[in-house]
Amino acid sequence: TRSFSDKAAPLAAAAAGISVGGRAASAAKKKHASTDTGNTITKEARSEGAISSKTYWTYIKNMGSATTLAGLFCMAVFERSLNVSTSVWLALWSENHFKTLNQGDYLGVYAGIGLSQAAVSWVRTFAWALASLAAANTLHLGLFKATLTTRLSFFDTTPLGRVIQRFTKDTAVLDNTLGQSVSGFVSFGVLLIGTLAGMAWVM
C-alpha cells in the first residue's frame, strides 16, 4: 500500500523540500528511520537547496491545458514587446526618424503604446493569478486525497503537527512563491530577449 500517492509527492517536495517515496513499506523505512530512543515516530527527511526543476514543471502543468499555457506565454511576449517598443519609439523620436510626423504624432503614438502596455499588463497579471490559483487548488486536492487514502499506520508514526504543516505553511509557499517565481522568470526572460533584439535593431 502506498503511503502517499505519486500525485501528492511533488506538492510535498515543493512546499517543504521533503522527499516522499510512495513505494513499498521497506523503501519507506529506509527514507524515514526511527529515532534512537525506540519510539515509533519517524524522523522528518528534508532536502536542502533550490527547488528542483521537476517541481516547477509539475506546478506549471497544473496551471492549465497546453492552450492556456500558450496563451499566458503569448500575453507575456506581447506585454514585454510593448515595453521594449516604448524605448525604441523614444529613440526614433529623438532622432526624428520619420520626417513626415510632427511632435504631436510622436507623442500620440507613445501614449498609445503606454496605454496598450498597461491594459495588457493588467490582463496578463489577472490571467496568471487565475492559473496559479488553479494549480494550487489541484495540488492541494491531490495532497488532501492522498492523506485520506493513506494507511492508518502513517498517522501512528507521523506527528499531527507535521501533517498540518503541509496543509498550512507549506501550501502557502506554493500559493505565494512558486506562482510568482514562474511568472517572473517568463516575464523577465522575454524582456531580456526583447531588449537585446531591440538594441540590435536600433544599432
Side-chain angles (χ1 to χ4, degrees):
T1 305
R2 298 174 180 267
S3 58
F4 277 97
S5 67
D6 292 337
K7 188 176 182 180
L11 174 61
I18 65 172
S19 176
V20 179
R23 296 182 179 179
S26 59
K29 290 181 180 180
K30 294 180 180 179
K31 292 191 175 204
H32 302 282
S34 299
T35 58
D36 295 335
T37 56
N39 57 35
T40 59
I41 301 300
T42 58
K43 291 182 179 180
E44 183 177 8
R46 290 180 177 270
S47 58
E48 298 179 355
I51 299 176
S52 65
S53 58
K54 181 180 179 181
T55 301
Y56 279 110
W57 180 241
T58 301
Y59 185 86
I60 292 173
K61 288 191 298 183
N62 284 279
M63 292 178 69
S65 62
T67 303
T68 301
L69 296 178
L72 293 174
F73 181 77
C74 290
M75 281 190 288
V77 172
F78 188 42
E79 177 194 4
R80 291 310 182 180
S81 298
L82 291 174
N83 191 358
V84 174
S85 298
T86 56
S87 300
V88 173
W89 186 254
L90 283 176
L92 297 176
W93 186 0
S94 64
E95 297 175 356
N96 195 21
H97 185 77
F98 301 102
K99 304 300 182 181
T100 58
L101 299 180
N102 56 36
Q103 296 298 314
D105 295 331
Y106 278 108
L107 180 60
V109 173
Y110 182 78
I113 295 175
L115 292 176
S116 300
Q117 181 184 352
V120 173
S121 178
W122 185 88
V123 174
R124 185 195 69 84
T125 302
F126 185 73
W128 273 94
L130 291 179
S132 299
L133 180 62
N137 184 58
T138 301
L139 292 173
H140 182 270
L141 288 178
L143 177 62
F144 182 69
K145 292 178 180 178
T147 304
L148 290 181
T149 57
T150 193
R151 299 174 302 167
L152 291 178
S153 59
F154 168 77
F155 297 99
D156 294 334
T157 59
T158 304
L160 181 60
R162 189 184 302 172
V163 178
I164 296 177
Q165 181 87 347
R166 300 295 174 266
F167 287 94
T168 53
K169 181 180 178 180
D170 296 342
T171 304
V173 172
L174 282 177
D175 298 341
N176 303 324
T177 302
L178 278 185
Q180 295 179 0
S181 297
V182 174
S183 176
F185 176 79
V186 173
S187 181
F188 288 105
V190 172
L191 177 61
L192 176 61
I193 297 174
T195 301
L196 294 176
M199 291 174 59
W201 181 77
V202 171
M203 295 176 63

